[in-house]
Amino acid sequence: MNELHTYCFYVDGMRMLVPSNVYMIRDIATYTNYFLVDGELSQNYFVCEVPHGTVSKVWYPSPTLGMERRRMTVYTPAGYEDSNKQYPVLYLLHGAGGDENAWSELGRAIQIFDNLIAQGKAEPMIVVMPNGNGAQEAVPGEYPNSMYKPSFANPKTMEGSFEKGLSGYHEVCGKSLSYYK
């Protein structure tokens, strides 16, 4: 059972968020409020008094896709900037319709990595969260001419087996982190 719950309300047929709850997340084009239930299952979802890593939005050229630049989110563990150590790299891919912000914002991956590393349950690592949507430079609204409402559409050639085999098949982190000690 998941301890991160999302919700919204419908008033006269119109979808509404709760304005008094500032905790909101975006998944594709849908915003929902959320809350965390404190307990064993959610202990790593919270920001705790542990060393925190760094999250960077990194632009890079993608000649394969014919783009001068694309964006990915990169997490580096606490102490990375001052270290000469070589770190393992986990490429954490989002589920269908997500983007480079899906794991860090919707999946709470940053809090989970900080907490698991501090508990000694995960090796300090670099986590690369790319945008798997080949037609997008970045999250809609964060690159030129991208102020549109995203839509969810699977190409007919993708029946799902490839996505399910990847480490980041969207399970809000818990079951897909495979780099435990």
Side-chain angles (χ1 to χ4, degrees), residues 23-94:
Y23 302 106
M24 292 181 276
I25 52 177
R26 178 189 59 85
D27 190 17
I28 308 172
T30 305
Y31 281 88
T32 56
N33 290 108
Y34 77 92
F35 64 93
L36 294 167
V37 177
D38 195 5
E40 183 180 343
L41 294 176
S42 65
Q43 66 180 327
N44 291 316
Y45 291 6
F46 289 94
V47 175
C48 297
E49 292 292 333
V50 299
H52 297 289
T54 302
V55 179
S56 303
K57 304 295 182 178
V58 178
W59 290 94
Y60 64 97
S62 182
T64 303
L65 292 175
M67 294 184 184
E68 289 183 31
R69 63 190 196 136
R70 294 197 76 221
R71 192 172 78 173
M72 63 183 158
T73 301
V74 179
Y75 166 85
T76 53
Y80 172 82
E81 289 82 3
D82 300 321
S83 174
N84 291 326
K85 177 184 172 189
Q86 288 196 338
Y87 291 86
V89 179
L90 172 66
Y91 291 88
L92 188 57
L93 304 177
H94 55 76

Side-chain angles (χ1 to χ4, degrees), residues 134-155:
Q136 292 180 343
E137 290 180 36
V139 172
E142 297 191 19
Y143 63 97
N145 303 314
S146 68
M147 293 301 291
Y148 63 90
K149 181 178 179 180
S151 62
F152 180 77
N154 275 338

